[in-house]
Amino acid sequence: MIFHLPSDVLRIEDAVEKVVARCHRIIELERRASRVRMNLRVALAEALSNAMLYGNGADRSKRVRVELTITAKAIITRVTDEGPGFDYEDIPDPTTPERLLKPDGRGIFLMRKLLDEVSFNERGNSVTLLLRRDQVRRE
């Protein structure tokens, strides 16, 4: 599944619901379905927010691309913005004492805690979120 949406944070909830609805039958097969559903929702909302606000600079004329791939082993979501990208290897640790009270800078940290893998393309304008499947039973 591939779709595009404008850089409008009011569209994030609908986009997340669209992805979760597509994964619904798959998620219900997971050993910890509620955890998988919640982690996917939160991580995808963070990725979309980052793409819209930081990647596209809140420019509503720019779009965000969402790609969903479901395999036997994982749910993979890729979020790509039109921005110049960023240096994903130079992200400050939000748990250090000097960053603890900052109101921002926790999105990528949160995604990494909730998912099995979070990776970026070389340019830094596309994030891939991977959640391994832990099925209770085969489809």
Side-chain angles (χ1 to χ4, degrees):
M1 174 170 92
I2 298 174
F3 62 95
H4 297 82
L5 61 155
S7 291
D8 179 353
V9 293
L10 296 177
R11 304 284 302 268
I12 290 175
E13 186 176 343
D14 289 342
V16 170
E17 289 305 318
K18 189 174 187 173
V19 169
V20 171
R22 178 61 70 99
C23 299
H24 176 74
R25 196 170 61 86
I26 301 299
I27 289 173
E28 295 310 314
L29 297 173
E30 299 301 314
R31 192 174 310 274
R32 290 173 274 177
S34 62
R35 182 187 70 84
V36 169
R37 190 179 314 105
M38 179 60 73
N39 290 5
L40 180 60
R41 282 180 198 273
V42 172
L44 181 55
E46 285 293 333
L48 290 168
S49 175
N50 285 347
M52 292 176 181
L53 297 176
Y54 302 111
N56 286 344
D59 181 345
R60 290 181 182 209
S61 70
K62 293 184 177 178
R63 304 192 58 85
V64 174
R65 176 183 170 104
V66 179
E67 301 170 63
L68 172 67
T69 304
I70 301 169
T71 71
K73 295 184 177 183
I75 298 170
I76 304 161
T77 310
R78 179 172 294 128
V79 175
T80 305
D81 60 61
E82 296 181 37
F86 75 106
D87 183 0
Y88 53 87
E89 293 179 346
D90 190 29
I91 301 169
D93 181 352
T95 64
T96 59
E98 60 274 5
R99 302 258 340 144
L100 279 178
L101 299 178
K102 300 264 183 187
D104 57 7
R106 293 176 178 80
I108 294 171
F109 174 82
L110 190 57
M111 287 188 276
R112 287 182 168 147
K113 291 296 181 186
L114 295 174
L115 301 174
D116 295 307
E117 288 181 32
V118 175
S119 59
F120 297 89
N121 66 352
E122 188 173 338
R123 182 174 151 187
N125 73 329
S126 183
V127 60
T128 300
L129 312 173
L130 185 140
L131 191 57
R132 286 192 188 85
R133 296 180 63 189
D134 184 20
Q135 298 178 8
V136 174
R137 58 186 182 273
R138 291 280 175 203
E139 294 177 62

